[in-house]
Amino acid sequence: QVQAVESGGGLVQAGGSLNLSCVVIRSRFSIDSMGWYRQAPGKQREFVAAITRPGSPNYAGSVQGRFIISRANAENTVYLQMNSLKPEDTGVYYCYAYVRIQTTNYWGQGTQVTVSS
């Protein structure tokens, strides 16, 4: 069965950087858009960034200019480079991969990002 597996979370001081990655395994079909959401304690899950298969990115206003999303199609992998981190970036980060032919989003299990002030 298809799985999305994240890695790269951790604890960092404000102003620091972290890199997240997410690999989708056992997908028989081409992956269309990929991206990231996050959920802070007591809040709803929110959009962070997405990228189309050709490589067009889209960002939430709160991370624009600080985060960079990229992907490696041959490896079914999406990356999130997070710079100038703020305490409000703290949360569990979830990646997703959308397979259009199946009209299905595959979600990762989440990785914790904690930014201390």
Side-chain angles (χ1 to χ4, degrees), residues 23-78:
V23 59
V24 178
I25 58 176
R26 292 192 289 271
S27 177
R28 295 186 295 130
F29 302 107
S30 174
I31 297 172
D32 298 283
S33 65
M34 303 181 81
W36 298 87
Y37 277 68
R38 68 187 180 189
Q39 187 166 19
K43 295 189 176 181
Q44 289 189 335
R45 191 175 296 192
E46 65 174 3
F47 170 77
V48 175
I51 187 167
T52 64
R53 186 170 182 82
S56 295
N58 185 31
Y59 298 97
S62 59
V63 308
Q64 181 82 45
R66 300 187 297 122
F67 291 11
I68 300 172
I69 189 170
S70 60
R71 64 187 286 173
N73 290 332
E75 287 79 41
N76 283 351
T77 301
V78 62

Side-chain angles (χ1 to χ4, degrees), residues 3-8 20-25 34-36 70 72 75-80 94-97 106-109:
Q3 279 188 290
V5 182
E6 301 113 335
S7 61
L20 306 183
S21 62
C22 172
V23 59
V24 178
I25 58 176
M34 303 181 81
W36 298 87
S70 60
E75 287 79 41
N76 283 351
T77 301
V78 62
Y79 306 95
L80 187 67
Y94 299 90
C95 76
Y96 75 89
Y106 294 99
W107 290 91
Q109 79 286 355

